[in-house]
Amino acid sequence: MSEKPKKSEAVEEPVVMQKLVSLAKRRGLIFQSSEIYGGLRSAYDYGPLGVELKRNIKNLWWRTMVHEREDVVGIDASIIMHPRVWEASGHVAGFTDPLVDCRACQNRFRADKAPTAEDGKIRCPNCGSGNLSDVRKFNLMFKTHLGPVEDDSAVVFLRPETAQAMFVNFLNVQQSYRLKPPFGIAQQGKSFRNEITVEHFTFRSCEFEQMEMEYFVPPPQYSDEGKGPDYWYDYWRKLRLNWYTETLGIRAEKLRLREHDAAELAHYAKGCADVEYDYPWGWGELEGIASRSDFDLTQHQKFSGKKLTYFDPDKKAHYLPWVIEPAAGADRTALAVLIDAYDEEPPPPDAKGDNVEPRVVLRLDPRVAPIKVAVLPLVKKEGMPERAREIIRAFFKNGVNAFYDEKDAVGRRYRRQDEVGTPFCITVDGQTAQDQTVTLRYRDDMQQDRIKIADALETVTKKVMAGGRDVRKPG
Ligand code: GAP
């Protein structure tokens, strides 16, 4: 079924967003889902370059959170879980948004996001009418049925977060992997929320990917001196904020950590902070870091009737660990990375030919860039294409995503790579056959070095791995 966005949801995006959405479609980063049928509200498809970008982000997260640590392991759990999981977690009763219908224009919207008139009453954000239905609670979980019978006993939900699988598998993982708190269980995967308001391109959609980790720590009375839940909460807040700059190359001044005030905290939470990005429409959440006490394990112990305590052989005590949870979104991160990288350079005063247009450049960190290096023959003759293909094969074999392009003048090809953030271009030219060298062009300042073909793979690989916003410096 296709559905056109309702007027109130067709948010007038800032110009940079309009440019980015158009670039995303034109260059195969992100498409509207089911576009030929008019598009499906709130769903997006990643194209050939988008899938690489998002995969790079997820791989970098996995590397930081799992592979580079002794104390965190991963799982990959089912999207459909036992329905009691969502009763225990509180999602059946409490994962709701306040929904209102406008009787004048039939628009549906979230009461907490609607404008308020002078009399203090809310108004329809679409037509301004005050003729509204009562506010009712709308559960955000997608319901479906398991098996052929569509009755209440077969109701299951698509998970609205990946986190619950880590709680439910706490003992399976702890015992099979012989882990001792503090330790973490990480997962990446799709989550689903029937959001009433979808907004800002992929920022809020109904189907999205999360990257979550539950870090199980001894409760305060069994913690080592100075290493209680508060210590770990502080530790993960700092580490997660830094990840966005150090690993993804997002500008530090566009990021902040916002601590929730008491009114925003769930009754069991000991603290919660959001990593926020300064999006073109204002500050918005990228990731939440929550100190959740033993709420989740207590709930699952109660609802499942199974003991979930850990026996600490040193402290000679059985306890339910407390949890610190860094919960990030892969799609929101990809969007922030793209927004942060988008740049337009005005043409130089003496510009000619292809250079009269502003240069659109995605200043992506090489680690997240979809294509790491483009290999280009200067012209389609004199053995240059063959030589370029030989060079690119070395990148392919070594797992470096490289792109071959021989169409159009080389200046236009450079521009095409600049606008999708390719940090390096290698060009085979007339000199190559004589001295086995090629040019290495840098995306950011367009300068070129002459390097030996024999060094090309190592030079590019080192620079990609070094990362950083200035692609010329590292390596
Ligand atoms: N287990 C905790 C949890 O799910 P959350 O703050 O609701 O916390 C974590 O979600 C992250 O998931 C958010 O910071 C955001 O990056 C992403 N996310 C949540 N809802 C989303 C949506 N509708 N569309 C895109 N990303 C979303």
Side-chain angles (χ1 to χ4, degrees):
M1 274 215 317
S2 67
E3 195 185 334
K4 285 228 167 82
K6 294 200 182 85
K7 213 169 159 209
S8 63
E9 291 154 357
V11 186
E12 188 59 38
E13 294 284 9
V15 175
V16 61
M17 284 305 292
Q18 293 172 15
K19 289 183 174 173
L20 196 66
V21 172
S22 138
L23 173 71
K25 179 180 155 116
R26 190 160 40 83
R27 296 305 312 274
L29 285 155
I30 303 170
F31 309 119
Q32 175 79 56
S33 160
S34 320
E35 200 189 88
I36 60 167
Y37 288 97
L40 182 71
R41 169 187 170 270
S42 85
Y44 294 92
D45 299 341
Y46 287 79
L49 293 182
V51 68
E52 298 292 338
L53 177 84
K54 190 157 101 163
R55 191 169 286 181
N56 289 340
I57 291 169
K58 290 194 297 178
N59 288 346
L60 287 162
W61 185 92
W62 196 263
R63 186 172 160 177
T64 308
M65 300 296 278
V66 182
H67 286 174
E68 288 179 358
R69 304 186 62 99
E70 284 182 23
D71 57 349
V72 180
V73 293
I75 60 166
D76 184 14
S78 298
I79 284 172
I80 297 176
M81 300 178 75
H82 195 290
R84 291 275 285 165
V85 168
W86 307 109
E87 287 173 37
S89 66
H91 283 81
V92 170
F95 196 52
T96 55
D97 276 343
L99 178 68
V100 179
D101 288 298
C102 172
R103 295 202 180 97
C105 73
Q106 275 72 50
N107 182 36
R108 279 202 176 130
F109 59 93
R110 267 172 70 169
D112 57 337
K113 294 228 164 182
T116 327
E118 276 169 14
D119 58 8
K121 295 200 173 130
I122 57 169
R123 291 284 184 271
C124 171
N126 187 38
C127 71
S129 168
N131 186 7
L132 307 173
S133 72
D134 289 340
V135 178
R136 62 185 190 283
K137 285 184 177 173
F138 172 75
N139 196 296
L140 299 189
M141 283 198 293
F142 280 98
K143 240 187 222 176
T144 186
H145 295 91
L146 194 63
V149 185
E150 295 196 0
D151 65 13
D152 285 353
S153 67
V155 166
V156 288
F157 302 96
L158 302 188
R159 67 182 178 202
E161 60 172 25
T162 59
Q164 294 305 320
M166 277 81 100
F167 301 129
V168 169
N169 281 302
F170 164 67
L171 276 190
N172 279 340
V173 174
Q174 183 275 318
Q175 288 168 356
S176 61
Y177 226 74
R178 301 161 63 87
L179 293 159
K180 181 176 184 336
F183 75 87
I185 309 177
Q187 182 175 207
Q188 298 180 333
K190 290 262 174 154
S191 291
F192 302 83
R193 295 183 190 177
N194 201 357
E195 303 275 4
I196 301 168
T197 314
V198 289
E199 55 187 352
H200 306 308
F201 201 27
T202 55
F203 179 80
R204 190 182 309 283
S205 41
C206 290
E207 177 180 339
F208 53 95
E209 269 188 280
Q210 290 189 307
M211 311 186 285
E212 297 196 282
M213 196 271 285
E214 308 303 319
Y215 198 69
F216 299 93
V217 306
Q221 66 274 32
Y222 296 116
S223 299
D224 290 341
E225 184 70 29
K227 290 272 181 90
D230 287 350
Y231 166 87
W232 288 113
Y233 176 52
D234 197 42
Y235 169 93
W236 283 110
R237 274 184 315 175
K238 286 192 188 121
L239 203 121
R240 293 305 308 150
L241 175 66
N242 289 345
W243 184 73
Y244 290 92
T245 34
E246 282 169 17
T247 306
L248 300 187
I250 295 181
R251 288 166 292 174
E253 66 271 22
K254 294 294 222 172
L255 290 162
R256 73 177 185 191
L257 199 61
R258 187 184 68 80
E259 202 68 42
H260 288 201
D261 56 39
E264 284 179 275
L265 287 183
H267 64 92
Y268 52 81
K270 301 290 167 205
C272 189
D274 289 344
V275 177
E276 293 189 334
Y277 180 75
D278 187 8
Y279 292 93
W281 59 88
W283 290 96
E285 179 184 335
L286 265 180
E287 165 162 359
I289 301 110
S291 179
R292 301 181 59 87
S293 71
D294 60 3
F295 173 77
D296 309 278
L297 290 180
T298 304
Q299 287 294 99
H300 286 301
Q301 185 164 267
K302 191 164 129 197
F303 278 71
S304 69
K306 300 270 160 35
K307 222 170 172 212
L308 295 179
T309 48
Y310 163 79
F311 176 68
D312 188 323
D314 301 327
K315 306 268 165 36
K316 309 250 179 306
H318 291 271
Y319 61 72
L320 284 179
W322 285 31
V323 166
I324 313 298
E325 175 193 74
D331 307 272
R332 271 196 201 173
T333 304
L335 182 59
V337 159
L338 286 172
I339 292 169
D340 204 64
Y342 188 89
D343 196 10
E344 274 178 27
E345 277 175 7
D350 56 347
K352 287 194 223 84
D354 292 328
N355 295 335
V356 296
E357 295 294 322
R359 187 172 80 109
V360 174
V361 48
L362 284 187
R363 299 191 187 281
L364 294 171
D365 186 297
R367 288 168 294 185
V368 295
I371 299 169
K372 309 300 183 200
V373 58
V375 183
L376 322 167
L378 184 64
V379 288
K380 267 197 279 183
K381 53 186 182 187
E382 294 162 25
M384 290 184 210
E386 292 75 12
R387 208 64 227 268
R389 285 208 153 95
E390 265 170 40
I391 296 170
I392 207 168
R393 263 197 300 278
F395 288 106
F396 289 165
K397 273 196 181 157
N398 284 277
V400 179
N401 195 27
F403 182 78
Y404 176 82
D405 189 6
E406 59 179 24
K407 292 177 214 88
D408 303 321
V410 76
R412 291 183 78 169
R413 283 180 268 162
Y414 286 147
R415 288 288 177 108
R416 285 204 288 265
Q417 293 307 316
D418 293 342
E419 75 171 1
V420 295
T422 306
F424 310 107
C425 289
I426 284 179
T427 305
V428 173
D429 58 16
Q431 201 180 316
T432 305
Q434 285 147 36
D435 63 5
Q436 307 303 310
T437 63
V438 286
T439 60
L440 177 65
R441 175 197 183 261
Y442 303 94
R443 171 196 74 203
D444 293 340
D445 60 7
M446 299 182 282
Q447 298 298 307
Q448 300 188 8
D449 289 339
R450 198 129 201 125
I451 60 166
K452 288 194 190 123
I453 292 177
D455 296 336
L457 176 67
E458 196 187 334
T459 308
V460 168
T461 311
K462 266 192 183 165
K463 285 178 187 293
V464 170
M465 279 163 68
R469 279 186 78 81
D470 182 352
V471 298
R472 201 166 149 73
K473 260 195 218 137

